[in-house]
Amino acid sequence: MAVPSPLPPRHGVNATRLRLPVAGPGGTVQGHVLHRFGHVDPNGIRERFARGEVVDRHGRPIPADTPLGVHEDLWYYREVPHEEPLPVRHTLLHRDERLVVIHKPHFLPTTPGGRFVQETALVRLRNELGIDDLVPLHRLDRATAGVVMFSCDPATRGAYHLLFERRAVTKRYEAVALLPDAPDGTDDDAHAAALLARFPLVMRSHIRKDKGVLRSITEEIPAAAAGRAAGARVRTRRSNLSHTGANAETRIEVLDAGRSAGTLAGRRVVRFGLSPRTGRTHQLRIHLAALGLGIAFDPFYPDLLDAAPDDLARPLQLLSRSLAFTDPVTGEGREFTSPAQLQERPR
């Protein structure tokens, strides 16, 4: 169970908890913090203790000379560097006593991380709506736009979290991909028709995401587990070992195809409808790239491009179109839909 913070959010950002050892370098709480954060200005740390900004789980200031072993943890506010406002805006789609739903634009992170703190959907909404206890029920990558749902009621939050854990939320995405050029001497229309004739289809794979590695990895599925639904396990006759098959599954259908009128003006593109049964990191991007139809402007798949500043004119052409579910509190069917359109879609 999460330990409740004794400090309220400040500027929409939660206080940070630090676990303390029972003994260690320095012998005191301040000594431990100075050793743990040796890369941080030590005078700044000492000033925080002197001002009473480092507190225990009851919100009481911890004296600098407090021996290790007295407290299990401490709480403090992190110093947040200045952030330039991102030139994108979210759209409030729904708000009631339990839920807040927005359309998140491309390039806006869902939650704080790395160099983004204030310029995230969560912190923006806490500050805008005055709801310190707002919590996301799921997340979208910074590069992906679309519907994101937040809980604003701790009493019912667990019921909504269970919807996502039990895959009881129907998620619909859209993506735009470039159609590969036809071989010399091949009719463009016939080539496009042949490529798209295989849809609709279901992609299954085993995806692994390693901490600190930008891209997810697709692993080979044992023959004994091939073809089974995501999450299925199977035992072979010769072995009592259980093999894990696919852990990622997406149904893909063609919505329309034609010429882009966006940045890719005149290029042949196709707009896909994507229905993921699972939610692995970069799952949709990996599945389309594996079909030779990588999402337009994807810097990760099929090829990892060099890091570059955000190009607002070329956002990843991936959109979380809608979320649908049976409300666990009221029992009513609910659906939230993004009004946005992918700029490179066929016109």
Side-chain angles (χ1 to χ4, degrees):
M1 178 181 292
V3 177
S5 172
L7 299 173
R10 185 172 70 177
H11 305 306
V13 182
N14 293 333
T16 297
R17 178 193 182 202
L18 177 66
R19 297 295 301 273
L20 294 172
V22 295
T28 64
V29 173
Q30 179 177 273
H32 170 74
V33 175
L34 288 168
H35 176 77
R36 171 76 179 271
F37 300 104
H39 59 288
V40 176
D41 174 24
N43 289 328
I45 292 175
R46 294 188 182 98
E47 289 172 2
R48 284 193 181 197
F49 275 92
R51 292 194 299 263
E53 295 178 358
V54 180
V55 304
D56 63 18
R57 64 176 54 198
H58 303 291
R60 300 172 301 204
I62 298 177
D65 59 355
T66 302
L68 288 173
V70 174
H71 300 289
E72 294 183 0
D73 48 28
L74 59 79
W75 297 80
Y76 67 99
Y77 291 113
R78 297 177 62 185
E79 293 290 343
V80 179
H82 172 72
E83 291 179 61
E84 290 296 330
L86 290 173
V88 294
R89 291 300 306 167
H90 59 273
T91 303
L92 185 64
L93 302 178
H94 174 84
R95 179 184 179 182
D96 61 30
E97 67 274 17
R98 293 182 294 275
L99 298 175
V100 171
V101 186
I102 67 165
H103 164 77
K104 185 191 80 66
H106 297 287
F107 304 109
L108 180 68
T110 302
T111 55
R115 60 192 175 96
F116 298 102
V117 179
Q118 290 294 318
E119 288 301 295
T120 60
L122 175 61
V123 176
R124 278 188 178 186
L125 287 169
R126 283 180 173 178
N127 292 330
E128 175 186 318
L129 303 177
I131 306 175
D132 286 343
D133 205 22
L134 198 69
V135 173
L137 292 168
H138 64 115
R139 289 169 174 78
L140 291 182
D141 290 341
R142 188 169 87 89
T144 304
V147 179
V148 183
M149 189 162 71
F150 299 80
S151 163
C152 51
D153 176 24
T156 59
R157 183 167 299 152
Y160 290 102
H161 270 304
L162 280 175
L163 287 178
F164 288 90
E165 291 178 12
R166 295 174 176 173
R167 299 175 184 168
V169 178
T170 299
K171 303 176 183 178
R172 289 280 297 166
Y173 287 75
E174 292 180 13
V176 173
L178 271 169
L179 282 170
D181 293 331
D184 291 341
T186 303
D187 178 75
D188 287 341
D189 291 335
H191 178 66
L195 285 175
L196 301 181
R198 52 185 163 166
F199 297 96
L201 56 78
V202 174
M203 283 288 291
R204 297 186 181 94
S205 59
H206 190 92
I207 295 174
R208 190 185 85 231
K209 179 67 168 67
D210 296 330
K211 186 176 180 179
V213 179
L214 289 175
R215 299 207 304 172
S216 293
I217 297 170
T218 302
E219 296 183 327
E220 183 177 353
I221 298 174
R228 294 179 177 264
R233 300 180 72 87
V234 63
R235 295 181 183 275
T236 61
R237 290 184 177 181
R238 295 184 179 181
S239 170
N240 198 35
L241 296 177
S242 178
H243 299 284
T244 301
N247 64 0
E249 182 175 309
T250 308
R251 185 180 188 277
I252 306 172
E253 61 181 323
V254 174
L255 299 180
D256 48 24
R259 303 279 181 178
S260 169
T263 304
L264 299 172
R267 299 288 300 276
R268 286 178 173 270
V269 294
V270 56
R271 183 168 63 105
F272 290 107
L274 309 169
S275 301
R277 182 173 175 269
T278 55
R280 298 291 169 176
T281 300
H282 297 168
Q283 173 178 322
L284 305 180
R285 299 161 73 170
I286 289 171
H287 282 171
L288 282 176
L291 293 169
L293 294 162
I295 299 173
F297 310 139
D298 189 343
F300 283 18
Y301 308 95
D303 300 311
L304 180 63
L305 306 182
D306 292 336
D310 292 340
D311 186 347
L312 298 181
R314 297 167 66 88
L316 177 73
Q317 294 297 283
L318 179 60
L319 172 70
S320 171
R321 172 59 71 196
S322 65
L323 298 174
F325 56 93
T326 299
D327 193 297
V329 177
T330 67
E332 65 178 317
R334 308 189 79 171
E335 182 169 3
F336 300 110
T337 302
S338 169
Q341 297 292 337
L342 292 170
Q343 69 181 37
E344 304 300 333
R345 68 190 186 281
R347 309 289 176 89

